Amino acid sequence: MASSDTLTITDNRTGKTYELPISEGTIRAIDLRQIKSGAEDFGLMTYDPAFMNTAACRSAITFIDGDKGILEYRGYPIEQLAEKSTYLETAYLLLKGELPNESQLKEWQHTITYHTILNENLKGVLDSFRYNAHPMGMLISMISALGTFYPEAKNIYDEEVRHKQIERLIAKMITIAAFGYRHMVGMPYAYPDNDLSYPGNFLNMMYKTTEVKYQPHPALERALDVLFILHADHEQNCSTSAMRSIGSSQVDPYSAVAGAAAALYGPLHGGANEQVIRMLTEIGSISNIPDFIKRVKAGDGVKLMGFGHRVYKNYDPRAKIIKKVAYEVFDVTGKSPLLDIALELEKIALEDEYFVKRKLYPNVDFYSGLIYQAMQFPMDMFPVLFAIPRVSGWLSQWQEMLLDSDQKIARPRQIFTGSARRDYVGMGERKA
Ligand code: CMC
């Protein structure tokens, strides 16, 4: 390493100078520990709530340049994958690092297809939920319950076992998700059909009624596949960090995926698409938009849902693709009545100084909800639709973490702000 690739720090408390190596644009936080104000001092730490400027891992999976609006999986631009790939091929790419050749893809598709079936006992778990249980709550519980059927899953360092669980999880996500929906609407469970593609099979299990064979509409099947590709991974976001953090305890992947799905459920993450539709419905008409924008700008807790991103500060490349997909879906389903409100809201926000100054642009969730709604998915299912493909990203990241010799159990530090040591106070001596 050239000596210029270092950072010189002078600690003004002691007058001592330290030289820390800079590698890949980072310094190692642990190198700061040697900087002490005295013998009793623990050593310097960084304070970084919400990980605003901390790289928690080295990863070769997904690349994002937020300023330029670039998203790549294993080097392939998201635009090319959305146009030319399928979700299953993309999942293979994320997990294995390379696109499959023809026979590898065939085998992968076959394996996933033949693992979509669930153990019948799992239906008992679903049946115990109330009719109005949120499908995301059911999904999280079902993923966890699924893991109990495969006790060998805890052998996470056995490559064969690990791969088997990855196949099972990716395959069974669509079945669990669709069964949750059928429970919610009181319809009999529709079983997987091995003749169908991954998204086609999901639509089959969601919507099949009395027909002998369900035929998904090819345009809607493709639209769903593109949405799955766009949602498959997004490097170290909230749910993926949860996946890595939980997985770092060496728990089985079902438990870790259940935890990651719980993180995804929140309205600032995978729940945002649901919130977008609620917001557009609440706005109700184009004439109400200026008033709504005023409330957002007043900062009284109202946010323009589907806008803004921690990383993208130019545009979200997924939003561009999704907008195009939305029109392809509306050609089949008819236009969403909320589309005009969304378009006008986007136009006003993109011109408004408040949003421009803060670099707030439509994100992946701004249009995905409109597509899902047009495809007859109830709003509660939106985060589930995000979780289905993200499982391949979570598992890719989890596997990478397990094989990374730099990684250990995740254990952040804290700055303690509580009471100094004090003696226990008996009940009779406590203040009223
Ligand atoms: N509407 C109005 N103001 C906003 C919004 C918004 N959607 N997002 C950020 N701001 C403001 C925020 O109030 C702050 O203003 P100020 O500087 O005056 O305090 C400024 O913009 C910077 O925002 P921030 O909260 O520091 O940004 P962040 O990086 O912490 O948050 C975010 C990113 C996605 C959580 C946030 O933009 C947000 O809550 N957006 C709405 C929810 C949403 O659409 N989430 C989906 C994210 S994309 C899918 C995914 O990956 O999960």
Side-chain angles (χ1 to χ4, degrees):
M1 185 184 4
S3 63
S4 59
D5 287 341
T6 58
L7 176 73
T8 303
I9 298 177
T10 303
D11 184 348
N12 293 323
R13 298 171 303 176
T14 59
K16 279 195 189 161
T17 293
Y18 303 83
E19 194 166 317
L20 309 186
I22 299 176
S23 168
E24 298 171 293
T26 58
I27 57 163
R28 299 263 165 160
I30 200 73
D31 285 348
L32 297 172
R33 188 73 68 75
Q34 60 184 302
I35 304 177
K36 299 183 179 198
S37 59
E40 294 285 290
D41 189 358
F42 178 75
L44 206 61
M45 295 193 295
T46 56
Y47 176 55
D48 190 12
F51 302 111
M52 296 289 286
N53 196 38
T54 294
C57 63
R58 301 175 77 248
S59 180
I61 300 171
T62 291
F63 173 77
I64 299 176
D65 183 328
D67 291 328
K68 296 196 184 119
I70 293 173
L71 169 61
E72 293 166 359
Y73 296 159
R74 302 281 189 185
Y76 294 102
I78 193 68
E79 293 80 4
Q80 290 182 25
L81 292 168
E83 196 191 326
K84 297 179 179 152
S85 187
T86 60
Y87 165 65
L88 279 193
E89 184 184 64
T90 298
Y92 184 102
L93 171 71
L94 287 168
L95 284 157
K96 305 196 187 237
E98 295 297 336
L99 286 167
N101 64 27
E102 205 175 340
S103 69
Q104 287 169 328
L105 181 60
K106 247 194 184 150
E107 193 187 329
W108 172 244
Q109 282 168 336
H110 181 272
T111 305
I112 298 299
T113 305
Y114 280 76
H115 276 103
T116 47
I117 199 91
L118 290 183
N119 186 300
E120 284 290 293
N121 286 337
L122 273 162
K123 291 197 323 201
V125 179
L126 259 185
D127 289 341
S128 65
F129 284 99
R130 284 192 76 195
Y131 67 93
N132 59 353
H134 194 288
M136 199 62 184
M138 289 193 268
L139 184 87
I140 294 163
S141 310
M142 286 290 284
I143 294 168
S144 173
L146 183 65
T148 65
F149 288 80
Y150 310 111
E152 75 277 16
K154 67 177 188 300
N155 301 328
I156 54 173
Y157 287 108
D158 180 324
E159 193 177 344
E160 205 178 308
V161 169
R162 197 168 61 235
H163 286 170
K164 177 65 83 196
Q165 312 321 311
I166 289 174
E167 288 159 7
R168 283 177 172 146
L169 270 159
I170 291 178
K172 294 179 201 308
M173 275 303 281
I174 46 171
T175 318
I176 290 175
F179 277 25
Y181 168 75
R182 305 286 284 209
H183 173 76
M184 192 169 75
V185 294
M187 283 173 77
Y189 300 121
Y191 283 73
D193 176 345
N194 287 349
D195 292 339
L196 296 175
S197 72
Y198 188 84
N201 208 351
F202 177 54
L203 291 171
N204 160 58
M205 290 187 275
M206 285 285 299
Y207 298 128
K208 184 172 189 288
T209 51
T210 51
E211 66 271 47
V212 175
K213 187 126 182 118
Y214 178 86
Q215 293 294 353
H217 190 292
L220 300 185
E221 183 182 2
R222 177 62 194 158
L224 193 58
D225 214 22
V226 173
L227 285 163
F228 283 173
I229 292 171
L230 299 183
H231 285 91
D233 194 50
H234 212 232
E235 53 120 309
Q236 309 312 314
N237 54 81
C238 176
S239 56
T240 302
S241 308
M243 180 78 194
R244 279 181 173 263
S245 193
I246 298 168
S248 76
S249 74
Q250 301 187 356
V251 74
D252 70 89
Y254 299 89
S255 304
V257 167
L264 186 73
Y265 189 7
L268 297 188
H269 194 5
N273 46 20
E274 180 179 341
Q275 299 306 323
V276 171
I277 299 298
R278 291 195 195 283
M279 173 189 76
L280 295 174
T281 309
E282 187 198 317
I283 294 172
S285 87
I286 289 179
S287 60
N288 292 334
I289 292 177
D291 231 35
F292 179 78
I293 295 272
K294 239 190 237 165
R295 282 171 59 209
V296 172
K297 285 158 65 173
D300 56 0
V302 184
K303 272 190 174 176
L304 180 48
M305 297 310 286
F307 261 67
H309 200 275
R310 173 63 57 80
V311 181
Y312 295 120
K313 299 298 176 193
N314 180 336
Y315 69 92
D316 181 340
R318 302 169 299 175
K320 266 197 175 169
I321 301 167
I322 280 200
K323 197 169 173 182
K324 192 167 152 264
V325 174
Y327 283 102
E328 286 160 14
V329 168
F330 297 153
D331 279 346
V332 178
T333 61
K335 199 177 79 173
S336 158
L338 298 176
L339 177 66
D340 290 338
I341 301 173
L343 287 170
E344 185 64 15
L345 194 59
E346 182 187 18
K347 184 168 155 266
I348 292 178
L350 289 178
E351 288 165 358
D352 191 295
E353 204 219 325
Y354 175 94
F355 298 94
V356 174
K357 207 172 103 197
R358 288 170 177 77
K359 301 188 171 178
L360 300 171
Y361 298 89
N363 60 46
V364 67
D365 290 317
F366 193 66
Y367 283 101
S368 60
L370 287 173
I371 300 177
Y372 296 146
Q373 201 181 38
M375 291 176 75
Q376 310 286 321
F377 290 106
M379 254 188 282
D380 284 354
M381 280 296 284
F382 293 2
V384 173
L385 290 158
F386 192 155
I388 290 171
R390 185 53 64 88
V391 163
S392 61
W394 290 333
L395 290 167
S396 306
Q397 302 270 351
W398 167 73
Q399 185 168 246
E400 184 177 63
M401 179 212 55
L402 290 180
L403 303 178
D404 180 350
S405 58
D406 278 356
Q407 293 294 337
K408 284 169 176 274
I409 186 165
R411 177 53 170 94
R413 295 276 172 178
Q414 65 169 8
I415 301 172
F416 180 65
T417 60
S419 269
R421 192 203 132 98
R422 51 185 170 165
D423 291 325
Y424 182 78
V425 181
M427 186 57 80
E429 295 155 53
R430 290 180 212 167
K431 288 191 193 125

